[in-house]
């Protein structure tokens, strides 16, 4: 074989995948694999094109056809999305095919020997095994995490909502930023939106801070060597963390029943309620633990503290016991008081070590569904609720849940999801930048 | 003398709080237990003190005969077991590959895991429903299990990879030289050394489905496929005062295994949590 310019092979491979490898470089197996990819692509090109077209049009309403034969917009959207992913993968293979041809041709030009395919495949062996073993995880992630996230974003730009745009009965159309406009500028929704967003932020902040310091207090109190039976107390204090959250939240909702709940009953029997009535704080013979907007919010934070403090107690106990003790001994010799030790040693060290965790906990609480839903269900309601479906104690996630499941306003729910996404993203990024792997530049 | 008195006062208040806190923690639990054995149905009939009046076990019998409690329990158990197996296997393999192999897209892949890990799967619930609907897996345990497993991959892969990285590479390189293949190295070297973290992963993925609410409510629509969380929710929803004692009985039956598991593993848990938290 005479030497040709090293561009022949890549150009041939660009014309038809694998052609360069087969004709010029005599790498038959590799070439045939590439060629097969191209053949399959060409054969299915009509289906791919139709799927992408479906994504653009989202189907036409065909009210005369039986329901099963009408265009299902959401399916068309999903198929179109998958088709785009497929096209991207094929494009990547295509680029890889050209680069591979160029690289092999260059090696050939330099050495004058055609590289054998054996080297290629033995080199690939390790990588192939890696990719093969990763594929289940990636297929799952693609279908149940990544595509849903993209899909959610897309829904926000459609009119996918009850009552008139629910497939398979009706089709869905693209509406651009219309839904965003409705949510953010139409008074009916914007009021509910603003209120819910602010409360979500306060809720996430307060629940993180209260649980952290509550847990810290318990951990430090029980680590004091002078406290007897600390192990016994610790076991008891862990219990709320061990009980499934939904159960304890429900229990608390019952305990805080304003009329028959045991807490109300106890206060009534002690005469506290009638005293409060006398001085005019309470109007009726009940305590509106969960039915007064402000009191309900306080209760949400307190019950969440009950649930969440044990986690931080465990965490801080673990960190403190693995911490070196000599620094405390040195402080003791220098005459530092307990308060000084806490202020200048314990607190900064703990904060430094758990900063990442605090941020994670904050973003967890932003999305904490059960903590609100099972205790107050977003109630009590008011005039804003009747317009936007957002109760006074609803957070973004419970509101989104209600918009989705109860009202079937999927496009509006998606707008809420996107906003939540945008709020959580900076924390995600910060967290990411703080990880050891990122800082060391090696993953 | 003054100092001594102050210390004494401080400890008095610490002890006082510990005792009050013990009461705050134990009261709701005691109230549930007494509710489960209390005669009558509603909250109205409960004493303030958590001592059941006319103790009875009829609520448990009722739970088994009049509701689908056992069926819900069975469904939750099936989902929990499958989720544990699938999550553990897939995460183990993925983390092993990321810890031990070199390949082109490793870094971007791991980074994308870190980012995905921050978003709760519930954000995409509408889309997940459409995907499952498309492949005919709505109202199907398999659909729910796949969604759980996918959601578990990003975070837990990082967790396990971190642990695998601490197992010296020299050991498995030696095994490779002796002719061990990919799988032999994994089963003989990595697995035995990483048992604690794998056990931790198995336990967390087992407990996950028991009380998860949004996804099963959304995906499993039919009555026979309800999980424990959804079943209990619907049993009590809106009628919490009337159905209180039966709910308490059901809650007690779920909580007891969890409590036992926790108290046994307490020490071990503190260690794993501290190790996961500490920034090195």
């Amino acid at each position: 074989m005479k030497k040709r310019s090293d561009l022949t092979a890549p150009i041939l491979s660009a014309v038809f995948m694998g052609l360069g490898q087969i004709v010029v470089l005599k790498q038959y197996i590799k070439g045939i694999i590439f060629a097969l990819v191209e053949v399959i692509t060409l054969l299915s090109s009509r289906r791919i094109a139709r799927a992408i077209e479906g994504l653009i049009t989202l189907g036409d309403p065909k009210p005369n056809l039986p329901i099963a034969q009408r265009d299902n917009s959401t399916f068309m959207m999903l198929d179109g999305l998958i088709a785009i992913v497929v096209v991207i993968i094929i494009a990547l293979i295509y680029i890889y095919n050209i680069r591979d041809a160029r690289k092999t041709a260059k090696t050939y030009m330099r050495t004058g020997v055609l590289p054998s395919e054996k080297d290629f495949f033995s080199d690939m062996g390790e990588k192939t095994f890696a990719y093969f073993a990763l594929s289940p995880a990636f297929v799952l992630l693609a279908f149940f995490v990544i595509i849903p996230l993209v899909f959610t974003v897309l829904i926000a730009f459609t009119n996918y909502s009850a009552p008139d745009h629910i497939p398979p009965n009706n089709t869905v159309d693209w509406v651009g930023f219309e839904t965003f406009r409705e949510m953010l500028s139409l008074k009916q929704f914007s009021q509910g939106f603003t209120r819910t967003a602010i409360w979500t932020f306060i809720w996430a902040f307060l629940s993180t801070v209260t649980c952290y310091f509550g847990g810290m207090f318990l951990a430090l109190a029980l680590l004091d060597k002078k406290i007897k039976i600390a192990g016994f107390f610790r076991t008891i204090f862990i219990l709320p963390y061990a009980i499934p959250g939904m159960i304890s939240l429900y229990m608390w909702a019952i305990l805080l029943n304003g009329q028959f709940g045991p807490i109300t009953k106890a206060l009534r029997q002690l005469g506290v309620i009638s005293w409060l009535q006398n001085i005019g704080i309470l109007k009726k013979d009940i305590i509106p633990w969960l039915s007064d907007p402000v009191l309900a919010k306080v209760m949400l934070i307190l019950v969440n503290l009950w649930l969440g403090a044990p986690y931080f107690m465990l965490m801080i106990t673990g960190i403190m016991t693995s911490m070196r003790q000599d620094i405390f001994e040195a402080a003791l010799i220098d005459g530092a008081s307990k308060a000084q030790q806490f202020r200048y040693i314990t607190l900064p060290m703990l904060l430094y070590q758990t900063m990442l965790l605090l941020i994670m906990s904050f973003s967890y609480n932003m999305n904490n569904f059960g903590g609100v839903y099972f205790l107050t269900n977003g109630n009590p309601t008011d005039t804003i609720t009747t317009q936007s479906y957002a109760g006074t104690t609803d957070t973004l996630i419970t509101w989104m849940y209600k918009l989705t499941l109860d009202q079937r306003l999927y496009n509006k729910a998606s707008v809420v999801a996107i906003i939540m996404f945008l709020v959580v993203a900076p924390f995600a990024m910060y967290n990411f930048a703080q990880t050891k792997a990122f800082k060391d530049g090696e993953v | 003398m003054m100092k001594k008195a102050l210390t004494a006062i401080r400890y008095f208040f610490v002890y006082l709080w510990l005792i009050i806190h013990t009461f705050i923690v134990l009261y709701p639990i005691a109230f549930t237990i007494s509710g489960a054995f209390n005669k009558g149905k509603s909250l109205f009939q409960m004493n303030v003190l958590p001592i059941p009046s006319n103790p009875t076990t009829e609520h448990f019998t009722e739970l088994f005969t009049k509701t689908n409690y056992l069926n819900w329990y069975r469904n939750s158990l099936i989902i929990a077991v499958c989720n544990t197996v699938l999550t553990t296997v897939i995460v183990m393999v993925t983390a092993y590959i990321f810890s031990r192999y070199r390949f082109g897209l490793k870094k971007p892949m791991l980074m994308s895991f870190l980012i995905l890990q921050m978003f709760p799967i519930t954000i995409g619930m509408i889309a997940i429903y459409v995907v499952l609907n498309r492949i005919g897996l709505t109202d199907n345990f398999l659909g729910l299990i796949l969604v759980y497993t996918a959601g578990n991959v990003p975070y837990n892969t990082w967790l396990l990879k971190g642990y695998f990285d601490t197992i010296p590479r020299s050991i498995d390189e030696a095994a490779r030289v002796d002719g061990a293949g990919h799988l032999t190295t994994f089963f003989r070297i990595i697995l035995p050394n990483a048992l604690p973290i794998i056990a931790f992963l198995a336990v967390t993925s087992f407990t996950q489905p028991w009380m998860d609410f949004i996804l099963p409510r959304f995906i499993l629509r039919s009555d026979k496929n309800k999980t424990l969380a959804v079943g209990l929710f619907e049993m009590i929803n809106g009628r919490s005062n009337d159905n209180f004692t039966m709910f308490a009985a059901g809650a007690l039956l779920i909580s007891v295994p969890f409590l036992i598991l926790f108290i046994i593993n307490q020490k071990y848990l503190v260690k794993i949590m501290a190790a996961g938290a500490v920034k090195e």
Side-chain angles (χ1 to χ4, degrees):
Chain A
M1 199 188 117
K2 69 174 197 282
K3 283 190 180 182
R4 296 189 207 175
S5 144
D6 64 339
L7 279 178
T8 326
I11 289 172
L12 280 177
S13 286
V15 172
F16 197 98
M17 278 161 75
L19 200 60
Q21 280 87 346
I22 297 173
V23 176
V24 184
L25 304 167
K26 312 286 180 216
Q27 295 189 318
Y28 298 111
I29 303 176
K30 211 169 28 169
I32 287 169
I33 294 174
F34 281 133
L36 265 177
V37 173
E38 170 118 21
V39 169
I40 295 169
T41 311
L42 290 177
L43 285 178
S44 50
S45 60
R46 274 192 59 179
R47 267 183 69 187
I48 293 176
R50 206 180 299 149
I52 293 176
E53 191 199 332
L55 178 64
I56 296 165
T57 64
L58 292 183
D60 307 310
K62 292 168 185 159
N64 303 324
L65 290 177
I67 288 176
Q69 289 170 28
R70 292 182 198 168
D71 287 345
N72 188 324
S73 305
T74 48
F75 285 0
M76 293 171 87
M77 220 157 118
L78 183 62
D79 292 353
L81 213 55
I82 293 170
I84 288 178
V85 173
V86 170
V87 168
I88 291 173
I89 291 171
I90 292 172
L92 289 176
I93 298 176
Y94 180 73
I95 294 169
Y96 178 72
N97 144 66
I98 298 174
R99 281 176 61 172
D100 174 73
R102 200 179 68 188
K103 207 176 106 196
T104 322
K106 263 191 185 157
T107 322
Y108 170 59
M109 291 293 290
R110 204 174 58 241
T111 59
V113 186
L114 275 173
S116 88
E117 270 185 298
K118 257 188 198 155
D119 296 343
F120 174 76
F121 281 109
S122 72
D123 183 39
M124 278 297 282
E126 186 103 315
K127 284 185 195 167
T128 318
F129 177 76
Y131 286 125
F132 175 74
L134 287 178
S135 53
F138 275 88
V139 170
L140 278 178
L141 277 178
F143 276 94
F144 298 111
V145 180
I146 297 166
I147 288 183
L149 284 179
V150 179
F151 196 91
T152 306
V153 175
L154 292 183
I155 290 175
F157 296 94
T158 68
N159 58 7
Y160 182 22
S161 59
D164 293 329
H165 297 280
I166 300 287
N169 290 351
N170 321 96
T171 54
V172 171
D173 305 299
W174 295 108
V175 294
F177 282 93
E178 178 62 24
T179 318
F180 285 86
R181 202 186 57 74
E182 271 178 43
M183 290 296 274
L184 300 174
S185 68
L186 217 65
K187 208 180 163 209
Q188 185 198 352
F189 280 104
S190 66
Q191 278 183 329
F193 194 95
T194 317
R195 179 177 76 181
T196 312
I198 292 172
W199 162 235
T200 307
F201 223 80
I202 297 173
W203 149 259
F205 178 77
L206 286 180
S207 24
T208 307
V209 169
T210 51
C211 288
Y212 185 74
F213 287 103
M216 185 189 287
F217 172 78
L218 293 179
L220 295 181
L222 293 181
L223 282 170
D224 191 321
K225 296 210 167 55
K226 284 186 187 136
I227 296 288
K228 301 278 181 321
I229 54 167
F232 166 77
F233 280 123
R234 197 174 290 131
T235 306
I236 289 180
F237 295 169
I238 286 173
L239 294 179
Y241 184 59
I243 302 169
M246 183 188 140
I247 300 277
S248 20
L249 284 160
Y250 251 141
M251 255 344 279
W252 274 106
I254 290 162
L255 292 173
L256 292 173
N257 183 302
Q259 202 171 357
F260 306 124
I263 298 175
T264 319
K265 260 189 192 170
L267 291 178
R268 190 180 288 135
Q269 280 161 19
L270 291 172
V272 177
I273 294 187
S274 47
W275 177 68
L276 286 173
Q277 271 179 302
N278 283 338
I279 60 170
I281 293 179
L282 287 177
K283 288 193 193 74
K284 284 182 261 170
D285 187 28
I286 58 163
I287 300 181
W289 298 113
L290 301 176
S291 47
D292 173 77
V294 178
L295 198 54
K297 283 177 183 168
V298 175
M299 288 302 136
L300 276 172
I301 302 281
L302 288 180
V303 171
N304 189 66
L305 174 63
W306 188 88
L307 279 168
Y311 171 77
F312 281 108
M313 180 186 86
L314 278 180
M315 186 75 76
I316 289 169
T317 307
I319 294 172
M320 290 295 289
T321 42
S322 63
M323 220 183 247
R324 288 171 55 201
Q325 296 300 313
D326 45 1
I327 186 166
F328 293 103
E329 280 155 23
L332 209 63
I333 292 167
D334 288 350
S337 72
K338 277 251 149 124
Q340 284 171 325
Q341 275 187 39
F342 176 75
R343 169 76 185 75
Y344 295 107
I345 305 173
T346 318
L347 187 64
M349 274 173 91
L350 278 178
L351 277 177
Y352 173 74
Q353 296 223 15
T354 52
M355 194 37 97
L356 208 70
L357 211 77
L358 268 175
I359 308 262
M360 265 172 90
S361 166
F362 180 82
S363 66
Y364 166 82
N365 279 316
M366 296 266 322
N367 297 309
N368 183 353
F369 173 80
V372 175
Y373 192 78
F374 296 124
L375 192 64
T376 67
N377 202 348
N379 292 327
T381 55
D382 61 4
T383 47
I384 295 180
T385 314
T386 48
Q387 294 176 329
S388 64
Y389 313 106
T392 45
T393 59
D394 261 323
T395 56
L396 288 173
I397 186 118
T398 59
W399 188 34
M400 186 185 108
Y401 175 83
K402 286 179 177 175
L403 286 174
T404 307
L405 211 77
D406 303 341
Q407 309 300 331
R408 298 203 294 165
L409 299 172
Y410 301 123
N411 55 349
K412 295 206 168 60
S414 289
V415 171
V416 179
I418 289 179
I419 307 263
M420 279 167 55
F421 193 91
L422 292 178
V423 174
V424 177
F427 297 102
M429 288 301 160
Y430 175 81
N431 238 1
F432 177 56
Q434 290 299 308
T435 49
K436 185 170 175 277
F438 180 78
K439 280 185 173 166
D440 295 356
E442 47 137 313
V443 180
Chain B
M1 194 61 206
M2 185 65 186
K3 210 179 161 197
K4 233 180 175 175
L6 272 175
T7 317
I9 291 170
R10 196 175 66 225
Y11 278 109
F12 170 75
F13 279 108
V14 171
Y15 268 114
L16 185 68
W17 177 252
L18 290 179
I19 290 163
I20 294 174
H21 196 90
T22 307
F23 174 76
I24 296 174
V25 167
L26 289 183
Y27 183 76
I29 299 170
F31 191 77
T32 316
I33 298 173
S34 87
F37 293 100
N38 201 56
K39 190 116 182 120
K41 286 187 94 171
S42 78
L43 180 63
F44 182 69
Q45 287 148 296
M46 290 289 298
N47 297 322
V48 171
L49 288 179
I51 301 159
S53 47
N54 309 317
T56 168
T57 53
E58 67 186 19
H59 305 305
F60 293 95
T61 3
E62 238 177 282
L63 205 59
F64 293 136
T65 52
K66 285 192 186 157
T67 74
N68 281 329
Y69 192 85
L70 281 178
N71 191 26
W72 303 334
Y73 213 104
R74 191 187 60 108
N75 292 345
S76 290
L77 189 66
I78 294 173
I79 295 168
V81 169
C82 295
N83 182 40
T84 309
V85 173
L86 205 61
T87 300
T88 314
V89 170
I90 289 187
V91 170
M92 239 164 35
V93 171
T94 313
Y96 170 61
I97 300 289
F98 278 128
S99 168
R100 288 301 197 263
Y101 287 79
R102 295 175 168 280
F103 49 93
L105 298 169
K106 180 169 166 179
K107 207 168 174 177
M109 282 176 179
L110 270 173
M111 299 221 167
S112 60
F113 276 27
L114 254 189
I115 294 172
L116 287 178
Q117 175 255 120
M118 292 295 292
F119 298 104
I121 204 155
T122 37
I123 281 189
M125 63 182 173
I126 309 157
I128 287 172
Y129 186 76
V130 174
V131 171
L132 289 176
N133 201 358
R134 185 77 182 105
I135 53 180
L137 286 182
T138 46
D139 202 17
N140 187 316
F141 291 163
L142 181 62
L144 183 63
I145 293 161
L146 290 178
V147 174
Y148 278 142
T149 308
N152 286 340
V153 167
Y155 175 76
N156 291 303
T157 298
W158 271 96
L159 191 74
L160 259 71
K161 178 194 174 284
Y163 201 97
F164 289 174
D165 285 348
T166 62
I167 303 169
R169 257 164 207 276
S170 49
I171 305 179
D172 46 305
E173 268 155 23
R176 280 298 181 77
V177 172
D178 290 347
H182 300 293
L183 292 175
T184 325
T185 322
F186 178 71
F187 283 112
R188 288 282 171 78
I189 313 282
I190 306 288
L191 198 60
N193 281 305
L195 275 182
I197 196 84
I198 291 171
F200 180 75
L201 174 64
V203 170
T204 49
S205 51
F206 183 79
T207 52
Q208 175 191 25
W210 286 95
M211 281 301 119
D212 184 52
F213 177 76
I214 303 188
L215 284 170
R217 181 95 197 276
F218 215 52
I219 295 173
L220 306 172
R221 297 290 173 99
S222 74
D223 206 41
K224 71 173 195 330
N225 282 341
K226 262 183 214 160
T227 64
L228 206 46
V230 179
L232 276 181
F233 174 83
E234 286 175 2
M235 182 170 99
I236 194 176
N237 190 24
R239 293 169 291 133
S240 54
N241 302 335
D242 310 331
N243 260 339
F244 171 70
T245 49
M246 215 208 275
F247 171 76
L252 195 63
L253 283 181
I254 308 174
S255 305
V256 166
F258 276 82
L259 284 175
I260 294 172
L261 200 73
F262 239 81
I263 292 171
I264 293 174
N265 292 317
Q266 199 194 126
K267 282 221 173 82
Y268 172 64
L269 204 80
V270 173
K271 271 189 198 137
I272 292 250
M273 279 168 77
V278 175
K279 198 163 65 170
E280 281 162 58

